[in-house]
């Protein structure tokens, strides 16, 4: 997978100002080194794209935090409630997160990636 293919498949990352080539290239290099093509086979580009998107979301989240004058890199769990004045919202994320998923549960891309990684890594099965 190259950057152009990634941006074509994940159009939400097409903004080159928000997701500059250098940032995408850096994380693409990382995820390419982590995923084995012999294991992922025909799903390699999907796995690479999901892992790359996950890392980009976290990187941009940290950049936005730094620009707001706060400390980037702070680990945040899934937000399950928020209150402003008399309005309150909460979400049940248990149905869409992976047990033991840790870091991968921090974005929807990571959740999808880990689900696929577990299937790809499961190996063959007999009936």
């Amino acid at each position: 997978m190259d950057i152009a293919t990634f941006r074509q498949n994940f159009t939400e990352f097409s903004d080159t100002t928000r997701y500059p080539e250098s940032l995408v290239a850096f994380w693409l290099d990382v995820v390419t080194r982590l995923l084995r093509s012999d294991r992922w086979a025909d799903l390699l580009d999907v796995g690479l794209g999901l892992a790359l998107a996950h890392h980009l979301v976290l990187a941009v989240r940290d950049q936005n935090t730094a620009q707001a004058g706060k400390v980037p890199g702070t680990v945040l769990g899934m937000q399950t409630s928020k209150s402003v004045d008399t309005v309150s919202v909460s979400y049940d994320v248990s149905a869409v997160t992976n047990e033991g998923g840790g870091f991968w549960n921090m974005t929807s891309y990571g959740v999808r990636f880990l689900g696929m990684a577990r299937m790809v890594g499961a190996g063959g099965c007999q009936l």
Side-chain angles (χ1 to χ4, degrees), residues 7 9 11 13 23 25 36-37 42 47 49 62 64 66 71 77 79 81 83 86 90-91 97 101-102 105 112 123-124:
R7 290 190 194 274
N9 292 342
T11 56
F13 295 95
L23 181 66
R36 292 179 41 183
S37 60
D42 293 349
D62 286 342
N64 291 341
V71 179
Q79 184 174 343
S81 66
S83 298
T86 60
S90 63
Y91 302 92
T97 56
N105 284 328
R112 286 185 278 173

Side-chain angles (χ1 to χ4, degrees), residues 2-3 5 9 21 24-26 29-30 34-35 43 48 78 86 94-95 97 100 102 114 117 121-124 126:
D2 58 20
I3 294 173
T5 302
N9 292 342
E21 295 288 309
V24 178
F26 174 81
D29 182 55
V30 171
L34 296 175
L35 273 64
L43 294 173
L48 289 170
M78 299 290 279
T86 60
S94 63
T97 56
L114 185 57
Q126 291 181 317

